[in-house]
Amino acid sequence: MSILDIALVHAPVYNKNMEVITSSVTNLDIHDIARCAATYGVRSYYIVHPSPAQHDLTRRIMGFWQEGVGADYNPDRREAFGHVKLVSTLQEVREDICRDNPKKKIYQVATDARLYPNTIGYEDLRERVHGHGREEEEAYLLVFGTGSGIVREEMERSDYILRPIYGPGDYNHLSVRSAAAIILDRLCGQ
């Protein structure tokens, strides 16, 4: 199996009017996506936000569950937060992934509710992630956007765009933590 990391991007992202914004870190996204990452064997869950104040907030939230009363009350949460890394940019994510092997090839896979020319299906990506067997040489970075999605420039930098999640009707606006759970199960579940 190749290495699988995930990133939750808060800037730059779109709002519902397709304006470029910076979204806030949310408590539920920190907890729920960290728990999914731990459950499905993701190496690292990167929270990408440019604001030092948002990093401080995230550290305080996680700190409660990693030390003292919260850690004693829920040790599983402490374990899940062991996968979380705070960074300011996606470039920092890529640098961290390659820290142990600068020649490592990173395949960036963006997620979105829209189709793109380089869309890849779940079975194809699952085969790539689990089928190559060159762990030291390849890594897959699954990028989730907050707000109304990742900006077009970052989508264009991606090697692949994962096929959107569709329900039986026309409504298509899952929370990012719900989408992350569904996607990780499709890619890494039994």
Side-chain angles (χ1 to χ4, degrees):
M1 179 173 143
S2 298
I3 295 167
L4 178 64
D5 296 290
I6 61 175
L8 180 61
V9 177
H10 294 83
V13 294
Y14 293 120
N15 68 11
K16 64 182 179 177
N17 299 316
M18 298 306 286
E19 299 165 326
V20 177
I21 63 159
T22 299
S23 64
S24 296
V25 171
T26 67
N27 190 355
L28 290 173
D29 290 347
I30 298 167
H31 287 262
D32 289 353
I33 296 174
R35 291 160 64 188
C36 282
T39 298
Y40 288 104
V42 170
R43 184 179 63 168
S44 295
Y45 162 35
Y46 295 91
I47 297 175
V48 182
H49 202 295
S51 168
Q54 290 286 295
H55 284 220
D56 290 343
L57 172 65
T58 303
R59 281 190 202 93
R60 279 200 322 270
I61 291 168
M62 291 185 354
F64 176 81
W65 297 101
Q66 291 176 307
E67 305 160 1
V69 176
D72 293 338
Y73 177 74
N74 193 337
D76 289 339
R77 190 123 340 148
R78 178 179 52 214
E79 181 182 343
F81 285 154
H83 295 263
V84 179
K85 296 182 178 184
L86 298 173
V87 296
S88 298
T89 66
L90 267 174
Q91 181 58 36
E92 287 179 51
V93 172
R94 290 186 282 268
E95 290 168 4
D96 190 62
I97 291 170
C98 289
R99 196 168 314 274
D100 60 333
N101 179 355
K103 294 182 180 181
K104 187 181 296 175
K105 168 65 176 156
I106 300 172
Y107 293 95
Q108 182 169 304
V109 182
T111 60
D112 200 278
R114 296 170 285 263
L115 286 170
Y116 288 82
N118 57 340
T119 294
I120 188 170
Y122 292 90
E123 288 182 25
D124 289 343
L125 184 58
R126 183 181 176 106
E127 174 72 24
R128 289 175 183 274
V129 170
H130 297 283
H132 281 288
R134 297 188 318 243
E135 291 184 28
E136 310 82 39
E137 299 173 17
E138 293 183 350
Y140 286 82
L141 173 61
L142 191 55
V143 181
F144 296 94
T146 56
S148 289
I150 303 164
V151 295
R152 183 172 217 41
E153 295 80 12
E154 200 57 54
M155 297 298 282
E156 290 171 354
R157 277 190 205 106
S158 297
D159 296 289
Y160 304 106
I161 313 297
L162 193 56
R163 184 170 176 75
I165 298 168
Y166 293 114
D170 293 334
Y171 188 84
N172 189 16
H173 194 75
L174 291 170
S175 69
V176 69
R177 61 192 168 276
S178 295
I182 293 167
I183 289 168
L184 288 175
D185 187 67
R186 288 180 180 179
L187 295 178
C188 303
Q190 294 291 319

